[in-house]
Amino acid sequence: MQTEFDIVIPLFQMRWNTRAVLEGLTFHYKPRHIHLITPESGAPVLRDAAQGWAIAPLTVHDEEAFFAAVGLDKDKICAEIDLGQSLYNPGWFYQQLLKLGAYEGIENLSEWYLVWDSDLLPVETWPAMQEKDDKLAYSFALIQHNAYGNPAIVSKWETWINSVLNVEAATDITGTFVPHHMWFKQEYLKSFAAKINDYYQSEDHWLLLMMRSANDFGTFSEFWAYVSWVNAKAPEELSFYPYETYGETTERFFDDGTGMFSAALRRYQGIEAQTESEPFSPDYETTLAFIRDEYGADAMPSSLSFESSPRHLKKNEETMHIEERRSRWNPRTAATTTM
């Protein structure tokens, strides 16, 4: 049974919360290695900054050439997509391929590897492994309720799964299978990739075909697609905590370093303002102490998601996730949230 594992994190750019997330993952999960995949322009700064962080061994990969081993680069893959006016840009889809295809770009990656979204901070988090029927189960947590969100987008994701993979989309009575983190096993990713080639009856690389599929279906969801594939082919390998266990305490809100949470954390640390020479980059220990003071030891969230896109401040009420609605750090709901 594999107990050592790697964590893979696509990261568009280093943000104020990057250090806390990486240190939190190291503290709670003790990975063998962390692999960050980020644009080449920001990689040197990240490598230098991380030398002083309390984290597992780290490798920073340039995203542009990440798939060089299979003869592809970001430009070639993104050139396959042409959606015109869309909520999602090519880079958003490419980031999903970095997760699904990490085994194509990272030598000696662990067979089971944990993908983690760069804005998800573990707090009172879930065990990543548990014993089930005398077997080690690699477990993720459902932390997004299925009663909210954009039904038009969800419908397109489901159609992609039903059509391309030719399996039934996996569902849960309460949560979605878009949990912002996921255990991937290389064995099932390789059969997933083969299915993409089979659907398109093409010998082109499956990464190119995945991008083309977005033209055909409008979008796809890497996490939900993978879960549905494993659920159909090896359901005994699918292990997750129900929404009620960890999802009911998670929160999601906009904070790019100018939000309510980061402002309160700076005050907590006695920092008036960040400067270019000393950017705000709190460690996990301090961040956790602040959260404990805010919530109390008996009411800690399982996790916090720091959304960086301003579109989260402009969402229609009906498509705002419940994890956003209930957050004390969401400026649109904070006035009615119990502190």
Side-chain angles (χ1 to χ4, degrees):
M1 293 187 294
Q2 175 193 318
T3 55
E4 288 192 330
F5 66 94
D6 301 330
I7 292 179
V8 174
I9 305 175
L11 177 69
F12 177 65
Q13 66 182 64
M14 186 170 69
R15 299 192 181 277
W16 69 272
N17 55 288
T18 301
R19 176 180 182 176
V21 170
L22 297 186
E23 290 188 348
L25 290 172
T26 299
F27 175 78
H28 288 287
Y29 296 131
K30 298 175 176 56
R32 179 183 71 173
H33 206 97
I34 296 175
H35 294 275
L36 276 179
I37 312 168
T38 197
E40 182 181 8
S41 59
V45 174
L46 183 53
R47 292 186 184 104
D48 289 344
Q51 291 181 16
W53 298 350
I55 59 175
L58 174 72
T59 299
V60 179
H61 304 265
D62 298 342
E63 71 169 31
E64 291 85 351
F66 184 72
F67 294 114
V70 294
L72 297 173
D73 59 26
K74 181 180 180 180
D75 287 342
K76 186 171 183 178
I77 293 172
C78 287
E80 296 291 334
I81 196 167
D82 182 15
L83 289 177
Q85 291 293 107
S86 171
L87 181 64
Y88 305 113
N89 60 41
W92 186 82
F93 291 103
Y94 185 70
Q95 193 172 84
Q96 294 191 55
L97 299 188
L98 293 173
K99 301 171 188 178
L100 291 169
Y103 69 93
E104 300 269 29
I106 300 173
E107 190 175 359
N108 299 321
L109 183 66
S110 56
E111 175 67 14
W112 284 92
Y113 65 92
L114 180 60
V115 164
W116 197 273
D117 281 3
S118 64
D119 56 11
L120 180 62
L121 181 77
V123 186
E124 286 289 326
T125 192
W126 45 91
M129 300 177 188
Q130 57 180 326
E131 290 285 342
K132 279 188 175 181
D133 302 322
D134 298 322
K135 179 183 176 183
L136 189 63
Y138 300 86
S139 305
F140 59 95
L142 302 188
I143 57 173
Q144 181 172 286
H145 201 286
N146 63 21
Y148 300 87
N150 190 325
I153 295 296
V154 172
S155 176
K156 290 181 179 180
W157 289 343
E158 183 174 9
T159 299
W160 190 99
I161 293 166
N162 297 156
S163 302
V164 178
L165 299 181
N166 194 28
V167 301
E168 184 176 350
T171 59
D172 179 78
I173 191 171
T174 308
T176 77
F177 287 111
V178 186
H180 308 286
H181 68 294
M182 181 63 62
W183 277 109
F184 288 119
K185 189 178 184 184
Q186 293 195 41
E187 175 186 354
Y188 304 128
L189 288 166
K190 290 171 183 176
S191 63
F192 176 99
K195 183 62 179 178
I196 307 299
N197 286 98
D198 179 66
Y199 174 78
Y200 279 102
Q201 292 293 290
S202 172
E203 294 183 1
D204 288 348
H205 199 281
W206 71 273
L207 292 166
L208 300 175
L209 299 176
M210 278 288 289
M211 274 299 203
R212 290 176 201 166
S213 77
N215 294 328
D216 296 335
F217 295 90
T219 185
F220 55 74
S221 168
E222 82 283 42
F223 291 146
W224 194 13
Y226 174 80
V227 167
S228 298
W229 181 249
V230 175
N231 187 56
K233 302 302 178 181
E236 72 281 0
E237 294 272 40
L238 195 62
S239 177
F240 58 89
Y241 301 99
Y243 184 85
E244 294 76 16
T245 308
Y246 293 100
E248 289 185 348
T249 61
T250 195
E251 295 182 29
R252 182 179 179 184
F253 50 90
F254 170 79
D255 198 327
D256 64 350
T258 64
M260 295 175 62
F261 180 95
S262 56
L265 179 53
R266 283 198 298 271
R267 290 193 297 271
Y268 178 83
Q269 293 185 260
I271 299 173
E272 292 187 8
Q274 62 178 334
T275 64
E276 190 171 330
S277 60
E278 290 188 57
F280 183 57
S281 183
D283 60 32
Y284 183 68
E285 183 179 4
T286 302
T287 304
L288 189 61
F290 165 72
I291 295 171
R292 189 173 291 113
D293 285 352
E294 281 287 321
Y295 287 82
D298 297 327
M300 294 280 277
S302 64
S303 57
L304 298 175
S305 289
F306 305 111
E307 300 287 355
S308 58
S309 173
R311 71 183 181 86
H312 286 273
L313 296 174
K314 303 172 184 177
K315 274 188 173 182
N316 294 328
E317 190 73 21
E318 60 270 19
T319 60
M320 188 183 294
H321 292 287
I322 192 171
E323 298 79 27
E324 296 174 280
R325 293 169 185 252
R326 67 164 168 248
S327 177
R328 68 180 66 191
W329 310 109
N330 183 347
R332 295 175 62 185
T333 60
T336 57
T337 301
T338 300
M339 299 295 284

